[in-house]
Amino acid sequence: KAALQPQIEAWIQEMSSLIAAKSSTPVQLHRLRLVDAKTTSKAKLELQKDGSLLASGTVPDKDTYTLVVELPAEPVTGVRIEVLSHDSLAERGPGRASNGNFVLTQILGHVSEHKDFRNHTAVQFGTAESDFSQELFSADGVLSSIENSGWAIAPKVGRNHQLTAYTTQPLIGDNTKYLQIVLDQQHGGQHVIGCLRISSVSGFDPVRALPIGVADAVRTDSAERTDQQRAVIAEHVASVMPETATIAASLDELQKNAPVAPLLPVRVIGPAERTTRVLHRGDFLQPAEEVSGEVLSVVNRHHPLQSREVDQPADRLDLALWLVHPEHPLTARVTVNQVWAHLFGRGIVVTQNDFGVRGALPTHPQLLDWLAWQFSHDIKWSRKTLIKMIVMSATWRQSSHHRPELQEIDPANRLLARQRRVRVEAEVVRDLHLAASGLLSRRIGGPSVFPPLPPGVAELSYANNFKWTTSDGENVYRRGMYTFFKRTSPHPTLINFDCPDSNTTRLQRDTSNTPLQALVTLNNEVYAEAAQALTRRTLTEGGNDDRQRLTWALRVCIARIPAESEVDEFESLLMKSREFYQSHPDDARKLIERHPAERVTAEENAAWVATVRMILNLDEFIVRD
């Protein structure tokens, strides 16, 4: 736009001179020859002697009228829609709603050489005007795709009205033969048009044909034109100039398809005061003496807070500002320690919940200080940047292989001379199985889901008052973070893999290794189904022979190229499984029930499922090694 500034100024000069000279050809209306008229509902559009179309039959809640007409010889610079009153309509219309109104939500146009419009070009409308518009339902609304916009005419029902939509460029009948007008009516409540007539407009008003906002900016005197209006004019000129039109169109398309910003609505507590009382023995029906809001006395005793308002006591916002003040190191130190513990399985300060005199001393105090300073000052409290910084460090990228020379110096690996082996959290164990099998739903957000639960578990909840109804569709395969958590009856998979029961607050998680965990991943419905689905992937994508497929499956699960000896072990298991299922076909069919593979026998499929199930139960699959 900066490079186009001379052309922009020249364009403004030209439009201003046209306005001053009132250089426009007389606007004329032309009756159009109707070729076809359709509705998306069961309503009918019947052609009347005066060229109008009268709707009859079913009165739909919403509808779309598609009208095809022949283009006249004169250049078409607009389309006029007349809505007409009629005795057959409630309140004489022109709408079919009980009050006689309608809402035309959008007008779309297309031109083509063929009646069926198999190849067509969209018509660009610039502005629209009407003889009357209902409040909040103006004529310009029909050119918008925004929900709940459009044109309506209450309270002036029972009368004829008209709306004219002007094209940004004249439509020439020599190039195209047919014009399609789509009248979208999606407001609901049976607010659809009852009787209408369509005409073409010829003649040209250069300003009227401009898009919404551009015409107003051009009509405004240059001395009074705002920066926003200048920007609107520059955008328009850039979109029509040959050297930038293609770029502007591409940019507009990209902006339309841009991902939605990951913003969440936040509830803000207003400053309004309220009366708060002590509740006698916690009973809200027995309010006692009135109390006022104040900072905890233990905080004020050691670190008096300064209120941001003169002559007012410090409140929760003052406390929040104090917690993240640059001179307050504790918040940043605790936060970076938690992130470190999540990544390494152990914090720089082992007692994540206690940084006081009873807590453990940091193993690397200068590192903790440096990370806290970076977090609160240089990277402005960005957890994502903090995590990136840590995982790109040499400490993170070390091998986790045991080093015999450190056995006596640092047996617990407190000094991080090697990487630690860390098992994933309980919620992620199931996610890994679903991801490897290709079943995982990657949809983000939404309510909690109810994946399959072993029978009898839900009944263990308090007073047996909870019913677990298994979700359907892709909700069965949502990530573990979306699984509904019942404190009195948590999901057994989570408990077996050391997920806290949520009855008390826990910053740290224990990690155990029990036979129950292996039984869960071998026999639970979810993990059995994952083995079936991964088998189907392996037989389809893994290669042409057994060793290629086994290598592929191992790489999917352990993220490295397996050794030949490892492939040998699983190839031996595969051979034994084939022998077993060849003589037990009924067992084979049960094992592949949910996700059978194509183009292999049930016995062959079952042998692979049994083998893949062992691959999914490797310790390395759920442990970072």
Side-chain angles (χ1 to χ4, degrees):
K1 284 184 279 187
L4 279 178
Q5 199 57 40
Q7 291 95 317
I8 293 171
E9 293 298 334
W11 185 87
I12 295 174
Q13 203 80 18
E14 180 184 356
M15 297 303 297
S16 299
S17 62
L18 289 173
I19 294 171
K22 295 185 169 28
S23 177
S24 60
T25 56
V27 174
Q28 297 179 338
L29 295 178
H30 301 277
R31 183 76 61 85
L32 294 172
R33 181 178 177 275
L34 184 70
V35 176
D36 191 21
K38 295 179 180 178
T39 69
T40 54
S41 68
K42 296 181 180 179
K44 296 180 180 179
L45 295 176
E46 299 177 355
L47 184 63
Q48 308 297 301
K49 292 181 179 179
D50 62 354
S52 64
L53 291 168
L54 180 64
S56 61
T58 303
V59 182
D61 184 63
K62 303 175 183 179
D63 210 340
T64 300
Y65 298 167
T66 302
L67 314 178
V68 178
V69 297
E70 290 184 356
L71 273 175
E74 300 83 0
V76 174
T77 57
V79 176
R80 175 165 293 181
I81 308 297
E82 297 177 82
V83 288
L84 309 173
S85 59
H86 196 276
D87 292 336
S88 66
L89 303 173
E91 304 294 331
R92 300 195 74 245
R96 302 189 75 186
S98 58
N99 61 356
N101 199 8
F102 66 90
V103 179
L104 177 58
T105 51
Q106 194 175 19
I107 292 179
L108 300 173
H110 307 93
V111 289
S112 176
E113 296 182 359
H114 310 283
K115 293 181 182 180
D116 58 6
F117 281 78
R118 60 179 179 271
N119 295 313
H120 62 264
T121 304
V123 176
Q124 300 295 326
F125 291 108
T127 58
E129 61 182 15
S130 64
D131 64 327
F132 175 77
S133 292
Q134 179 180 331
E135 186 177 3
L136 302 180
F137 289 88
S138 67
D140 283 338
V142 301
L143 304 183
S144 170
S145 59
I146 300 174
E147 190 177 359
N148 295 326
S149 65
W151 176 53
I153 46 85
K156 293 187 178 183
V157 298
R159 312 178 195 178
N160 298 343
H161 295 283
Q162 62 186 32
L163 178 144
T164 307
Y166 296 97
T167 60
T168 56
Q169 298 291 333
L171 309 178
I172 310 300
D174 294 341
N175 300 328
T176 52
K177 295 181 179 180
Y178 300 101
L179 169 65
Q180 181 188 74
I181 298 296
V182 180
L183 305 178
D184 209 16
Q185 303 156 83
Q186 301 299 317
H187 184 77
Q190 299 183 329
H191 285 82
V192 295
I193 298 173
C195 187
L196 74 145
R197 181 166 54 218
I198 182 171
S199 307
S200 67
V201 176
S202 65
F204 184 65
D205 181 341
V207 178
R208 179 177 285 167
L210 295 175
I212 301 169
V214 179
D216 292 337
V218 171
R219 288 192 177 100
T220 303
D221 187 80
S222 59
E224 300 177 359
R225 196 171 290 143
T226 65
D227 291 340
Q228 183 178 2
Q229 288 177 320
R230 292 189 187 94
V232 168
I233 292 174
E235 286 279 353
H236 174 71
V237 175
S239 69
V240 297
M241 285 293 175
E243 56 265 47
T244 53
T246 303
I247 302 172
S250 299
L251 179 60
D252 184 56
E253 187 66 25
L254 287 169
Q255 288 173 335
K256 288 179 181 177
N257 297 320
V260 178
L263 302 177
L264 293 174
V266 178
R267 298 187 66 181
V268 179
I269 301 175
E273 295 290 335
R274 69 172 186 177
T275 301
T276 304
R277 297 180 179 276
V278 174
L279 303 180
H280 180 64
R281 304 188 68 179
D283 185 358
F284 69 92
L285 296 176
Q286 299 184 56
E289 67 273 12
E290 184 177 338
V291 293
S292 59
E294 184 58 273
V295 176
L296 291 172
S297 58
V298 67
V299 174
N300 260 340
R301 187 183 311 132
H302 298 287
H303 305 280
L305 296 185
Q306 297 296 323
S307 174
R308 65 192 186 283
E309 297 182 10
V310 180
D311 299 328
Q312 293 292 329
D315 57 17
R316 286 178 292 180
L317 179 54
D318 292 310
L319 176 61
L321 294 172
W322 175 77
L323 285 172
V324 294
H325 194 278
E327 296 181 7
H328 187 315
L330 188 60
T331 304
R333 287 165 62 87
V334 170
T335 305
V336 299
N337 189 63
Q338 288 180 357
V339 172
W340 188 276
H342 180 79
L343 294 172
F344 284 92
R346 179 190 180 113
I348 299 174
V349 176
V350 178
T351 53
Q352 296 179 51
N353 62 328
D354 192 346
F355 271 60
V357 294
R358 297 185 179 182
L361 293 174
T363 55
H364 302 73
Q366 291 178 316
L367 174 61
L368 182 62
D369 289 343
W370 184 82
L371 286 172
W373 176 269
Q374 291 287 318
F375 184 54
S376 60
H377 288 73
D378 290 357
I379 62 176
K380 307 301 182 186
W381 304 94
S382 170
R383 288 174 62 90
K384 183 177 289 187
T385 307
L386 174 67
I387 293 170
K388 179 180 179 181
M389 181 191 303
I390 294 174
V391 299
M392 291 182 69
S393 68
T395 305
W396 166 268
R397 291 182 291 168
Q398 292 180 114
S399 168
S400 58
H401 286 296
H402 181 68
R403 294 173 58 182
E405 68 272 22
L406 300 175
Q407 184 60 40
E408 295 184 5
I409 302 173
D410 185 21
N413 194 33
R414 293 173 66 252
L415 302 180
L416 293 172
R418 58 180 173 84
Q419 180 60 278
R420 298 174 61 86
R421 298 181 74 252
V422 181
R423 198 200 68 203
V424 298
E425 294 93 336
E427 295 86 346
V428 182
V429 172
R430 174 175 165 274
D431 291 357
L432 285 176
H433 284 76
L434 294 178
S437 66
L439 296 175
L440 181 67
S441 167
R442 301 186 183 274
R443 185 163 65 89
I444 297 174
S448 298
V449 296
F450 299 82
L453 185 72
V457 175
E459 288 75 4
L460 298 176
S461 61
Y462 179 75
N464 192 19
N465 62 352
F466 177 64
K467 303 300 179 186
W468 183 283
T469 303
T470 302
S471 301
D472 52 13
E474 71 166 336
N475 285 332
V476 175
Y477 309 115
R478 298 292 304 278
R479 290 175 58 194
M481 64 181 295
Y482 298 111
T483 298
F484 185 86
F485 198 98
K486 181 72 171 175
R487 282 193 305 141
T488 56
S489 181
H491 201 287
T493 299
L494 299 181
I495 298 302
N496 283 326
F497 284 95
D498 311 306
C499 179
D501 62 8
S502 294
N503 285 311
T504 56
T505 302
R506 287 289 305 276
L507 289 178
Q508 297 168 265
R509 290 198 179 189
D510 301 321
T511 301
S512 64
N513 194 354
T514 69
L516 277 177
Q517 295 169 355
L519 288 173
V520 167
T521 54
L522 280 171
N523 300 311
N524 184 277
E525 177 183 346
V526 172
Y527 303 102
E529 186 178 358
Q532 295 173 22
L534 180 56
T535 296
R536 188 171 59 183
R537 285 190 66 195
T538 302
L539 294 174
T540 304
E541 307 171 32
N544 300 318
D545 59 44
D546 291 348
R547 293 192 70 85
Q548 284 183 354
R549 290 169 174 169
L550 288 170
T551 302
W552 184 89
L554 283 163
R555 291 193 66 177
V556 167
C557 294
I558 61 178
R560 64 174 175 82
I561 298 175
E564 290 295 322
S565 59
E566 293 174 309
V567 179
D568 291 340
E569 292 287 343
F570 285 102
E571 189 174 26
S572 174
L573 174 61
L574 178 63
M575 296 301 180
K576 293 177 181 178
S577 300
R578 279 174 175 156
E579 292 178 7
F580 176 81
Y581 288 111
Q582 286 292 342
S583 57
H584 298 80
D586 291 339
D587 291 337
R589 282 188 286 273
K590 291 178 182 178
L591 191 60
I592 64 172
E593 188 174 11
R594 295 289 293 274
H595 297 278
E598 300 176 357
R599 296 188 296 274
V600 295
T601 63
E603 293 77 12
E604 176 71 5
N605 194 351
W608 273 99
V609 171
T611 305
V612 166
R613 188 159 60 169
M614 293 300 106
I615 295 176
L616 287 171
N617 275 269
L618 289 172
D619 179 72
E620 194 175 344
F621 182 53
I622 60 173
V623 174
R624 188 189 70 219
D625 198 354

